[in-house]
């Protein structure tokens, strides 16, 4: 069910989207990825980026403590 997971943070590299909101959540800069992963103690990252940047994001997230990644790149 949807109760099993909670959306905590959204990230984007597009400066026109950063600071706006989607579904009630503020969109953060991808530059803040590691900090927010640590501050929010996030466990899972869902990647929905172009494949050219997906591995870099996965590596950064893993170093920041993410335990699992769903990759839809």
């Amino acid at each position: 069910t949807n109760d099993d997971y909670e959306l905590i943070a959204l990230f984007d590299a597009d400066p026109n989207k950063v600071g706006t909101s989607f579904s009630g959540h503020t969109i953060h800069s991808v530059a803040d990825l590691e900090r927010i992963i640590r501050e929010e103690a996030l466990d899972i990252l869902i990647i929905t980026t172009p494949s050219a940047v997906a591995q870099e994001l996965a590596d950064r997230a893993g170093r920041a403590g993410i335990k699992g990644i769903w990759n839809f790149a």
Side-chain angles (χ1 to χ4, degrees), residues 13-51:
D14 182 345
N16 293 316
K17 293 179 183 173
V18 172
T20 64
S21 67
F22 178 81
S23 193
H25 297 278
T26 299
I27 299 173
H28 301 279
S29 170
V30 74
D32 297 327
L33 181 75
E34 293 89 341
R35 178 181 60 79
I36 293 174
I37 287 171
R38 290 182 184 111
E39 286 178 0
E40 298 291 338
L42 302 179
D43 294 320
I44 298 171
L45 178 72
I46 301 172
I47 297 176
T48 59
T49 64
S51 58

Side-chain angles (χ1 to χ4, degrees), residues 46-70:
I46 301 172
I47 297 176
T48 59
T49 64
S51 58
V53 296
Q55 186 62 57
E56 176 192 346
L57 290 176
D59 292 343
R60 289 174 56 195
R63 287 190 298 270
I66 283 291
K67 297 177 181 124
I69 295 173
W70 294 347

